[in-house]
Amino acid sequence: MQDVARCLAFIGVPYALKMVSEDGLLALGLAIPDRRLAIEVFDASCFCVNQQQPLGETVMRIQQLQACGWKPVTVPFYEWLPLGSDVMKQNYLTSKLSIQAQGSMM
C-alpha cells in the first residue's frame, strides 16, 4: 500500500491513508475521498492459491464499497509487482484512475 501511495503522491493525486468513511461503516486503507475512490491493494492472501481468482471476502469487500457509494479501484499484486519501475507504476495508476473517472467498472 505504501508503494501505491508513494506513486500517487508523485503523480500529484491527493489521497488519504487509513481513514474511516464519513458514515463510520468502512475502514479505508487508501482513498481519494473527494472522488469517493477506494484504492484496494490486494496481496496474494486475497486470492486462491496459484490463481487470480479472488477469495469470497475480497469480492465481498468490493461489493460492500459499492453498496456504500464508493468506487473501488483494485490494484492486485499480480498486476503491480511485475511493473518494476516507478514510471510504469505511475502510468498504471494514471490509467486505472482515468478509467474509473469515466465510470467504467474494474
Side-chain angles (χ1 to χ4, degrees), residues 40-58:
E40 294 293 305
V41 181
F42 293 129
D43 63 17
S45 69
C46 298
F47 297 88
C48 296
V49 176
N50 298 324
Q51 297 181 30
Q52 294 177 0
Q53 178 67 38
L55 295 174
E57 65 187 57
T58 304

Side-chain angles (χ1 to χ4, degrees), residues 26 28 38 40 60-70 72:
L26 299 169
L28 303 166
E40 294 293 305
M60 193 164 60
R61 171 72 177 171
I62 293 168
Q63 292 172 344
Q64 180 183 33
L65 288 165
Q66 291 169 333
C68 290
W70 287 82

